[in-house]
Amino acid sequence: MKLVLAMMKHETNTFSPIVTDWARFESWGLYTGQAAIDAYGKTNMPLGVYLKLARDYGAEVVLPMAAEAMPGGLVTADAYQRMTDPILAAVRAGCDGCLLDLHGAMVVEGTEDGEGTLLEQIRAIAPELPIAVTLDLHCNLTPKMVGNCTALIGYKTYPHVDMDVVADRIGRVVMPVIAGQRKAPAMALRQLPLLSQTLCQGTDDEPMKSAIAACCAEEAAGLPAASVFGGFAMADIRDAGTTVITVGDDQAQADAAADRIAAKVWDKRDIHIYQHRDLAESVAKAKQLSDGPVILLDHADNCGSGGTQDVMKVIAEVLRQGLEDVAVGAVWDPEAVQAMQKAGIGATVTLELGGKSDIPALGLKGKPLKLTGRVRTITDGEWIVRGPMYTGFKVMMGPTAVLEVDGRMQIVVVSRHHEPWDTGVFRSVGIDPEHKRYLLLKSRIHYRAGFAPLAKATFTLDGEGATTSDNSILKYEKLRRPIYPLDRINDWNA
């Protein structure tokens, strides 16, 4: 048996000004061949599981591409071709099956559906090839993706701590097809007219908690696989939004389960929409708490959804109100890091921190915050994830420094975008997060993977940025309509 394994992942925010080019993939982690096996073989990511399944079956493995970039704007056509060409060449050379670790929300110059286009191209080369696909919970699932693979599945947790579990499940559905031990399963897609907001998709909370429970119940009753994709509303494409996909032993089983799950998701559509709060009032309430750590979420500037990670509005308000013992993770500002490196540890510096990025899609101009502080730490920004999400993965934040302001706030400043889902963002620079009164994180939900066990309380702070949870201020031109809540709809399958 010969298998082609590959990873190609990017969550594209079409409102983000960040260019997602080849260099951005290289800076996060781009590997081929044996280097990819070495990088991911001992992780809990889908590629690590696929490698184990291949060993279990005694299969020969070809791994032409393992590429991922932090979310941002459109993927360039050049970067896309440089990722897909090796995958297509490996399939063209001949194989018995293909196991793919994809995201599901990649938008490329020239195609709204990066994953569906890749799968369609693979199918054109090998029409009968069994293909298994894992996708992120924030996938904007398209008919093209479903129609060009054998079976697919999505993560059931947000933060994504079950990547290995779902990859194993879908692998064990498709590997027997590759081995000729079972027929190909059937799939049923239900595309709901619902534009769910990412901040409302945490799987420990409603509405996703019960949606995932419905999927698990169907699987426990014998369905091979079931997934609910919350979708990614920060993409102005036709197929953005919430979907249900089921994998059944036959079409009737898949259809019945998909209808049951979709109805339950639609019944809770109102709580897929975030309710905004006044920033100053939220910070004032947080200030009243004495027992920490208290989590402060600057969710509108989350680089994990394509934010620039340099909007200073929330940080400025926290400083204005005088909160004490605050650690910030993290601000993207390579120029500030260079200035702190030049000054050296212990030096006092005055910086125009952050605010280097304009966000034209939202009409926002970059607004740096002038701060004077002490350079506390300088590192290379490299560390290994020890928490439950991306376990074993090597993070490369680039040259990193900590600026301490007025003895009240320690700001981790990075040269590469990185969402703080693991405590390593602080521990790697000498900050013990469990002993801070406040942890100000540029994150939405993924922070829970590493920080939820520490939190005494959590506040969502409604600032500004390319990952705003106010979809009403976004200009959608390509999104299919009608769709809730932009339009009033009563019946999901009308």
Side-chain angles (χ1 to χ4, degrees):
M1 182 187 292
K2 183 178 180 181
L3 300 176
V4 171
L5 277 55
M7 182 178 87
M8 186 185 78
K9 299 169 82 168
H10 186 256
E11 184 175 81
T12 305
N13 181 334
T14 62
F15 303 99
S16 172
I18 298 169
V19 176
T20 307
D21 55 11
W22 184 247
R24 189 164 175 83
F25 282 94
E26 287 182 314
S27 70
W28 178 252
L30 194 156
Y31 306 92
T32 61
Q34 187 59 46
I37 294 173
D38 293 342
Y40 290 98
K42 295 182 180 179
T43 70
N44 70 341
M45 298 173 69
L47 206 52
V49 173
Y50 290 161
L51 288 164
K52 181 180 183 302
L53 285 171
R55 289 194 300 270
D56 291 346
Y57 274 79
E60 175 188 353
V61 168
V62 178
L63 209 168
M65 181 60 57
E68 182 172 12
M70 284 299 289
L74 290 180
V75 176
T76 65
D78 170 72
Y80 183 70
Q81 185 172 354
R82 291 171 75 169
M83 288 185 291
T84 58
D85 277 358
I87 299 172
L88 297 174
V91 173
R92 195 174 288 114
C95 61
D96 299 298
C98 192
L99 308 179
L100 299 176
D101 178 9
L102 307 178
H103 185 285
M106 178 183 286
V107 186
V108 184
E109 292 174 338
T111 176
E112 292 186 356
D113 185 1
E115 293 85 356
T117 299
L118 170 64
L119 289 166
E120 185 178 58
Q121 292 172 330
I122 293 174
R123 271 280 180 258
I125 296 169
E128 303 301 322
L129 184 69
I131 303 171
V133 179
T134 56
L135 295 163
D136 193 283
L137 182 139
H138 303 115
C139 162
N140 288 322
L141 190 63
T142 69
K144 187 182 289 188
M145 294 183 210
V146 177
N148 288 285
C149 73
T150 304
L152 63 82
I153 196 169
Y155 309 152
K156 288 183 171 65
T157 58
Y158 180 28
H160 309 321
V161 297
D162 69 330
M163 291 185 280
D164 54 341
V165 175
V166 298
D168 183 73
R169 187 176 193 95
I170 207 65
R172 293 186 185 281
V173 171
V174 176
M175 286 300 292
V177 179
I178 298 171
Q181 298 167 346
R182 64 163 289 175
K183 68 177 184 178
M187 289 191 287
L189 168 65
R190 299 294 181 266
Q191 191 174 52
L192 299 172
L194 172 61
L195 195 65
S196 173
Q197 289 164 331
T198 310
L199 198 55
C200 299
Q201 293 176 11
T203 51
D204 288 334
D205 314 320
E206 293 296 348
M208 289 301 291
K209 183 177 182 178
S210 59
I212 297 301
C215 291
C216 293
E218 296 288 351
E219 291 176 344
L223 193 73
S227 306
V228 171
F229 295 102
F232 187 55
M234 308 307 299
D236 182 21
I237 62 172
R238 183 194 181 280
D239 290 306
T242 301
T243 50
V244 172
I245 184 77
T246 55
V247 180
D249 293 318
D250 55 52
Q251 196 62 55
Q253 183 193 39
D255 282 330
D259 287 337
R260 287 191 292 267
I261 298 169
K264 292 178 180 178
V265 173
W266 183 248
D267 284 346
K268 294 183 180 291
R269 61 191 177 279
D270 289 344
I271 49 178
H272 277 271
I273 312 306
Y274 176 68
Q275 302 301 315
H276 287 265
R277 305 170 180 87
D278 181 78
L279 173 60
E281 290 180 5
S282 295
V283 174
K285 289 179 180 177
K287 187 178 180 179
Q288 296 172 6
L289 301 182
S290 58
D291 191 16
V294 174
I295 304 292
L296 309 175
L297 295 176
D298 187 2
H299 61 90
D301 190 33
N302 166 29
C303 74
S305 293
T308 58
Q309 204 176 358
D310 68 344
V311 180
M312 303 302 290
K313 182 173 182 176
V314 169
I315 293 172
E317 182 62 27
V318 169
L319 284 169
R320 187 187 72 80
Q321 294 202 30
L323 277 66
E324 304 264 351
D325 196 20
V326 184
V328 179
V331 172
W332 174 81
D333 192 335
E335 294 177 15
V337 174
Q338 290 173 12
M340 286 189 279
Q341 286 177 321
K342 185 176 180 179
I345 293 175
T348 297
V349 295
T350 298
L351 302 171
E352 296 283 340
L353 186 63
K356 303 299 190 295
S357 309
D358 296 335
I359 309 175
L362 277 69
L364 295 176
K365 291 285 187 180
K367 298 177 182 178
L369 182 63
K370 188 174 183 177
L371 295 173
T372 297
R374 181 173 68 92
V375 180
R376 179 184 175 97
T377 309
I378 297 172
T379 77
D380 62 6
E382 296 186 7
W383 48 278
I384 303 295
V385 177
R386 303 301 182 191
M389 180 176 161
Y390 278 70
T391 307
F393 185 74
K394 184 178 182 180
V395 170
M396 294 176 286
M397 301 188 298
T400 297
V402 177
L403 180 69
E404 186 169 81
V405 181
D406 297 334
R408 296 189 289 121
M409 178 181 284
Q410 295 170 353
I411 305 174
V412 181
V413 188
V414 298
S415 299
R416 294 177 179 171
H417 294 103
H418 176 67
E419 181 179 356
W421 67 67
D422 188 86
T423 58
V425 73
F426 292 123
R427 297 191 195 281
S428 66
V429 294
I431 297 172
D432 293 325
E434 65 269 27
H435 298 305
K436 304 302 291 185
R437 185 173 174 186
Y438 299 100
L439 298 173
L440 197 167
L441 306 176
K442 286 183 176 287
S443 180
R444 295 205 218 231
I445 302 292
H446 278 324
Y447 79 93
R448 295 180 182 179
F451 294 96
L454 305 181
K456 298 297 193 301
T458 301
F459 291 82
T460 52
L461 304 183
D462 297 347
E464 296 175 335
T467 63
T468 176
S469 293
D470 185 359
N471 292 350
S472 69
I473 69 174
L474 302 174
K475 186 178 180 181
Y476 289 99
E477 297 177 340
K478 301 177 181 178
L479 179 67
R480 71 191 189 280
R481 305 291 288 268
I483 194 166
Y484 186 87
L486 304 182
D487 308 294
R488 305 306 298 183
I489 306 173
N490 294 319
D491 188 353
W492 69 270
N493 59 0

